[in-house]
Amino acid sequence: MKIIISGKNYDLTDAIKKRVVDKLAKLDKFFTSETTATVTIKGEKIGDIVEINIPVRGSLLRVSECESNLFASIDTAADKLERQ
């Protein structure tokens, strides 16, 4: 699975990118290598928002999670996506 990570109002560090890639790596068993996951990380006043979008066979798997801690947002969003 290809992963595209972008940030809005947020400076993406290597640790953040590594955490996203590690968490989404466990979803590789569900998708082909040509599937593209788009991850957007936004810094807002209410907290850090993580949005993950994966187009699959004409539909879209989408998860959005907002927590005060960015790594908690990434973990929760990846877990929700795995349950979908």
Side-chain angles (χ1 to χ4, degrees), residues 5-7 9 23 29 33 35 38 47 66 68 70 72 75 82:
I5 304 171
S6 63
N9 300 329
K23 281 299 192 173
K29 60 186 172 190
S33 61
T35 304
T38 305
C66 179
S68 59
L70 175 62
D75 294 345
E82 187 174 13

Side-chain angles (χ1 to χ4, degrees), residues 17-67:
K17 291 178 183 178
K18 183 178 180 335
R19 181 67 162 255
V20 170
V21 170
D22 289 346
K23 281 299 192 173
L24 294 183
K26 63 183 177 181
L27 300 176
D28 282 340
K29 60 186 172 190
F30 300 116
F31 303 109
T32 64
S33 61
E34 297 159 1
T35 304
T36 302
T38 305
V39 180
T40 305
I41 298 173
K42 300 177 186 177
E44 301 288 337
K45 290 181 182 179
I46 58 173
D48 298 321
I49 301 171
V50 175
E51 294 179 354
I52 304 172
N53 295 307
I54 303 175
V56 179
R57 293 185 228 143
S59 63
L60 180 70
L61 294 176
R62 182 178 188 281
V63 172
S64 180
E65 188 61 36
C66 179
E67 300 267 345

Side-chain angles (χ1 to χ4, degrees), residues 2-3 42 69:
K2 300 173 193 168
I3 301 172
K42 300 177 186 177
N69 181 353

